[in-house]
């Protein structure tokens, strides 16, 4: 895979899954080196399982250790005129981590134990124990009622045949909002085909601090979340809106205030046009920036600047 040059445009990616990139054919070392060489200021690696933080960090640490002047990265590194150590340092500094529990049926059923594990992970991370970096938020967590057993999430409607499962899913989400409140952290919300459920949980908890990741609803739902103070994160999916929905999408893109907008890849999923259908990486977010900047009538540079400001405002420096 050829690295993409994007001229130091500082494209923040507020949500991706770096640990899945290798499975999708990426050389994670090359991606990390390229991010550092392109001066990407911040990439947030999102957790999905209660205890996955150490594993994710181990994978990234291993990939960083392979950044050297030998092998496949040698050309890229020598052309940059920078030392591998310098690049590693920059790559390490730009990655932020979250910890959270995605609403998987098994996790929902086992929610009490799962929350216990998550609490201990967050506590250790915030204290810097076991060499863990501080997590910047709780998530991704929320609701998913998009049934597609063949999809990446393997959603099976049969798992949710009872009302009890829907309630338990909300309970798992609300326990994570409570945890975020306890640790004074923002929440990264996953909500797909389940607006009422997620909105009810959020209203119910009265803790409005976080983002709606990969926002997939319309302008009315955006307004409701924005009114409560939630940031809206758009992903590559916006670049392949159906023709019949293009106008509504453009209105939504312009509707989100400058100070409430975030941009993400959800890599390795949802690659933006013109890479749609291929595995996604944070390096491809430039296409989403170009698409959204054009519709908002600003330059990608200006958009990059405001997304970075919003990211720092929500998740700290
Ligand atoms: Zn995700």
């Amino acid at each position: 895979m050829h690295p993409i040059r994007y001229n130091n445009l500082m494209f923040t990616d507020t949500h991706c899954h770096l640990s899945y990139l290798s499975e999708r054919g990426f050389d994670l070392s090359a991606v990390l080196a390229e991010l550092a060489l392109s001066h990407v200021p911040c990439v947030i690696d999102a957790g999905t399982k209660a205890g996955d933080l150490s594993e994710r960090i181990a994978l990234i640490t291993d990939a960083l250790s392979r950044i050297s002047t030998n092998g496949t990265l040698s050309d890229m590194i020598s052309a940059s005129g920078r030392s591998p150590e310098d690049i590693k340092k920059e790559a390490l500094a730009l990655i932020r981590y979250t910890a959270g529990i995605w609403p998987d049926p098994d996790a929902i059923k086992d929610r009490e134990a799962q929350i216990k594990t998550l609490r201990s992970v967050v506590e250790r991370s915030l204290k810097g124990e076991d060499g863990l970096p501080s997590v910047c938020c709780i998530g991704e967590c929320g609701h998913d009622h998009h049934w597609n057993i063949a999809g990446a999430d393997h959603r099976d409607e049969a798992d949710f045949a009872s009302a009890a499962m829907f309630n338990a899913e909300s309970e798992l989400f609300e326990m994570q909002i409570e945890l975020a409140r306890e640790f004074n952290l923002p929440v990264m919300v996953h909500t797909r085909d389940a607006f009422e459920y997620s909105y009810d949980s959020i209203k119910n908890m009265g803790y409005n601090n976080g983002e709606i990741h990969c926002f997939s609803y319309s302008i009315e739902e955006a307004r409701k979340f924005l009114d409560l103070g939630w940031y809206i994160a758009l992903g590559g999916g916006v670049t392949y809106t159906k023709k019949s929905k293009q106008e509504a999408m453009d209105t939504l893109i312009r509707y989100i205030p400058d100070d409430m907008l975030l941009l993400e890849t959800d890599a390795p999923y949802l690659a933006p046009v013109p890479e749609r259908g291929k595995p996604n990486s944070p390096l491809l977010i430039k296409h989403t920036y170009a698409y959204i900047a054009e519709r908002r009538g600003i330059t990608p540079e200006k958009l990059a600047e405001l997304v970075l400001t919003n990211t720092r405002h929500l998740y700290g420096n």
Side-chain angles (χ1 to χ4, degrees), residues 15 17 140 213 266:
H15 182 117
H17 303 278
E140 56 179 304
H213 124 77
D266 206 6

Side-chain angles (χ1 to χ4, degrees), residues 209-241:
N209 178 11
E211 69 158 278
I212 310 300
H213 124 77
C214 204
F215 185 81
S216 57
Y217 303 119
S218 67
I219 200 160
E220 290 77 39
E221 287 86 358
R223 183 177 50 77
K224 287 187 167 167
F225 284 127
L226 286 164
D227 282 351
L228 293 178
W230 290 77
Y231 287 76
I232 303 285
L234 298 177
V238 301
T239 65
Y240 39 85
T241 305

